[in-house]
Amino acid sequence: MKNKATLTLSLLASLVLAACGGGGGSNASPTAATSASSPSTASAPAANSPASTPTVTGEQLPSLSSPQAGSTAATGNRVEGIWSVTSSVNKTTAFVDPQNNLSYLSVLGTTVMQEFFGVITPGSSAWTLTSGGLFNLNIYTAATSGSGTFTGNQAFNGSYVEGSNTVNIGWTYDPANALAVTQAMVAGTWAETNSSITISSSGAVSGTLSNCPVSGTMLLATAGSNQNLYTLNVTTGTNTSCQTPNVTLSGSAAIVFLPIQSSSLYQRTILYSLHTSSNSAVAYGQVSPQ
């Protein structure tokens, strides 16, 4: 039997009620349908005693210098896709979808500190914030303005005003944009502690988030493409286990890569960030294949 090594810093899932804030916050920033390439598999070097070192299953990161055919890096509009920045145990991952919805998660260790949801208007190399707001430790405050610049498929920078605070952002284009995907590629069961979702080959979703039953869909953000960005919509149940019963949450999801400890390989996970249209609740998590 093959054993996977421990993944590094998978964030903890949560599905929680949000509260409105009065201006508090933090300054910390934390297509052609071509078949996707199958993931490469590698093993850790064998030790003298086979029992002392488990076999590691994983793959190398996709290459932005040589992106897979049909991927966002190969066919996107240079601003849509996945953006990220990592510093020590802090990581921020952002999504820009084809409708110019911008969202991001800022994580400290395994705990999400901030979530942002907004809409931008991109130009040839600059962007402005049309609307948005920040959940800082689940306290929501509207963003009043924002702008910045981007270098296509390389860097995304700028700032926005949230309450009385100016929040600076600076991200780089994530290697996961070089991965070509299909709708069927996310089919299966993906899970982490207290959360498990099963996705059918057609994109139907069922399972639990933070022990609350959910159902919905996870579909390619650009239908018929091979770009690694999905739209996830779920409606929660009415069970007593649900802190947020009978609400619909929507947002972006994508396959992102987590490093495997004691290895140069990575494992695929699904990272998602959702909110209700009224910003009354948020959900986020990072689930691994089962």
Side-chain angles (χ1 to χ4, degrees):
M1 185 176 74
K2 293 184 178 180
N3 297 304
K4 294 177 181 176
T6 304
L7 299 177
T8 302
L9 295 181
S10 177
L11 64 87
L12 298 176
S14 187
L15 170 58
V16 296
L17 291 168
C20 292
S26 169
N27 289 331
S29 64
T31 74
T34 306
S35 297
S37 301
S38 59
S40 58
T41 303
S43 299
N48 291 332
S49 172
S52 64
T53 303
T55 301
V56 178
T57 58
E59 61 187 291
Q60 300 292 336
L61 285 178
S63 171
L64 287 173
S65 62
S66 185
Q68 297 175 13
S71 65
T72 307
T75 64
N77 65 9
R78 301 171 69 247
V79 67
E80 65 184 341
I82 308 161
W83 301 84
S84 62
V85 62
T86 302
S87 175
S88 184
V89 294
N90 299 288
K91 181 166 186 177
T92 297
T93 304
F95 303 119
V96 179
D97 75 8
Q99 288 72 47
N100 298 320
N101 294 302
L102 168 67
S103 60
Y104 72 76
L105 291 170
S106 288
V107 181
L108 176 63
T110 60
T111 302
V112 172
M113 306 299 290
Q114 297 178 333
E115 314 90 60
F116 180 90
F117 299 93
V119 181
I120 62 171
T121 301
S124 59
S125 60
W127 61 272
T128 57
L129 182 68
T130 303
S131 62
L134 179 73
F135 294 88
N136 188 42
L137 295 176
N138 299 325
I139 304 298
Y140 178 81
T141 305
T144 55
S145 63
S147 62
T149 61
F150 66 91
T151 302
N153 293 16
Q154 294 185 45
F156 190 102
N157 299 285
S159 64
Y160 64 88
V161 177
E162 170 263 330
S164 59
N165 300 302
T166 297
V167 181
N168 297 307
I169 56 178
W171 310 318
T172 57
Y173 201 58
D174 195 276
N177 290 300
L179 175 71
V181 303
T182 63
Q183 181 64 55
M185 188 175 286
V186 294
T189 298
W190 303 73
E192 63 177 320
T193 303
N194 298 328
S195 294
S196 177
I197 58 172
T198 297
I199 307 169
S200 73
S201 58
S202 63
V205 172
S206 61
T208 59
L209 298 182
S210 294
N211 296 317
C212 176
V214 297
S215 61
T217 59
M218 181 170 162
L219 302 172
L220 285 165
T222 301
S225 77
N226 296 122
Q227 296 179 6
N228 181 19
L229 197 62
Y230 298 80
T231 299
L232 178 59
N233 296 285
V234 296
T235 299
T236 62
T238 57
N239 303 41
T240 55
S241 60
C242 296
Q243 184 180 355
T244 56
N246 197 31
V247 298
T248 298
L249 301 103
S250 302
S252 292
I255 295 175
V256 299
F257 293 86
L258 275 181
I260 300 174
Q261 288 182 352
S262 303
S263 169
S264 62
L265 303 176
Y266 293 77
Q267 185 182 31
R268 298 184 185 194
T269 65
I270 293 177
L271 179 70
Y272 61 88
S273 178
L274 316 175
H275 68 136
T276 61
S277 59
S278 63
N279 293 313
S280 61
V282 291
Y284 45 80
Q286 191 163 12
V287 287
S288 299
Q290 302 302 293

